[in-house]
Amino acid sequence: MHVCIVGAGKVGYYLAKTLLEHGHDPVVIEQDPQACRRIANGLDIHVISGDGTSVNILKTAGCDQCHSLIAVTGQDEDNLIACQLAKRVFHCKRTVARVNNPRNAHVLKKLGVDIAVSSTDNIVRILEREVETTAIRHLLNLAGGTASLVEIALPDNFRYNGRTLLDIPIPEDFNIVSITRDGELLIPRGQTILRSGDQLVCVTLDAALHTVVREWRLPNI
């Protein structure tokens, strides 16, 4: 697969290196001559010295033959323009843009970028999923990592033991799918009572899971 990479910083370098190792054909566009020399010396690939927001430079890089363009410069505006040109002028099937300011991710997608990748958002999502409690086991990540399917073991001293679901604080973005008690599977309803030792399978947004850990006083590691 022929892939055009705009930006030869550390991200661009290791992206090109990984694509090359996986049998793809990357070409890199970079304005800084020193960065061009570094990536040309380190990798056996085609490197174009120039502005990745220029139609002529993109054409020289063979963008019209590319399956994908990935823009990973330090400027969100440049990444957006490169992706828009690749899509509208050269008809690339897939465009990917690095987002340096996570607030711009939605804007880039709205303006035609297929995939907007924010390292800041990705790190936050990882941290949100890492709820430090012995009572919770992650089963599956959902919705691109913003939600989870989890199993919760209610502790012996569960603060809401004997209370119905209607009487327990449960966030709107947290849903109990099933309850296992003494080997029996229960489908929860509003009048279902929770008891210590119950095993809950839940679908939840990550922020809601943190609220449950706090409100239910689940044990910390």
Side-chain angles (χ1 to χ4, degrees), residues 5-10 12-13 16 27-52 57 61 73:
I5 301 171
V6 179
K10 288 184 178 180
Y13 176 87
V27 56
V28 174
I29 300 172
E30 170 59 46
Q31 291 193 78
D32 181 4
Q34 185 175 354
C36 288
R37 286 193 294 272
R38 182 175 65 250
I39 199 167
N41 291 334
L43 303 173
D44 185 20
I45 61 174
H46 192 195
V47 181
I48 305 296
S49 179
D51 184 356
I57 292 296
T73 76

Side-chain angles (χ1 to χ4, degrees), residues 51-202:
D51 184 356
T53 65
S54 163
V55 172
N56 290 334
I57 292 296
L58 290 172
K59 185 175 182 179
T60 301
C63 195
D64 54 337
Q65 304 294 323
C66 286
H67 175 278
S68 304
L69 179 136
I70 308 173
V72 290
T73 76
Q75 300 296 324
D76 290 349
E77 297 85 353
D78 290 348
N79 293 340
L80 171 61
I81 293 171
C83 287
Q84 287 180 324
L85 290 175
K87 202 77 170 181
R88 298 175 183 177
V89 178
F90 299 100
H91 309 293
C92 281
K93 292 183 179 180
R94 182 63 58 88
T95 57
V96 181
R98 173 188 180 186
V99 182
N100 300 280
N101 183 347
R103 293 182 179 181
N104 292 335
H106 177 71
V107 176
L108 266 65
K109 289 182 180 179
K110 194 171 182 179
L111 293 175
V113 175
D114 293 317
I115 301 174
V117 181
S118 168
S119 57
T120 302
D121 278 348
N122 289 341
I123 292 170
V124 169
R125 288 175 183 175
I126 291 170
L127 292 175
E128 287 290 333
R129 289 199 300 270
E130 296 300 320
V131 179
E132 292 187 351
T133 171
T134 56
I136 295 178
R137 184 165 67 96
H138 284 273
L139 303 177
L140 183 67
N141 292 328
L142 304 170
T146 61
S148 303
L149 181 70
V150 300
E151 183 180 66
I152 299 178
L154 299 184
D156 293 337
N157 60 345
F158 180 49
R159 82 182 286 195
Y160 296 114
N161 180 55
R163 304 265 296 270
T164 68
L165 292 178
L166 288 175
D167 296 328
I168 297 173
I170 298 177
E172 182 178 348
D173 296 324
F174 181 93
N175 185 45
I176 300 174
V177 178
S178 68
I179 301 171
T180 302
R181 180 182 300 155
D182 299 326
E184 181 182 358
L185 182 69
L186 307 175
I187 303 301
R189 299 290 185 267
Q191 296 299 326
T192 301
I193 294 174
L194 289 187
R195 299 194 183 281
S196 295
D198 285 351
Q199 299 280 338
L200 314 181
V201 174
C202 310

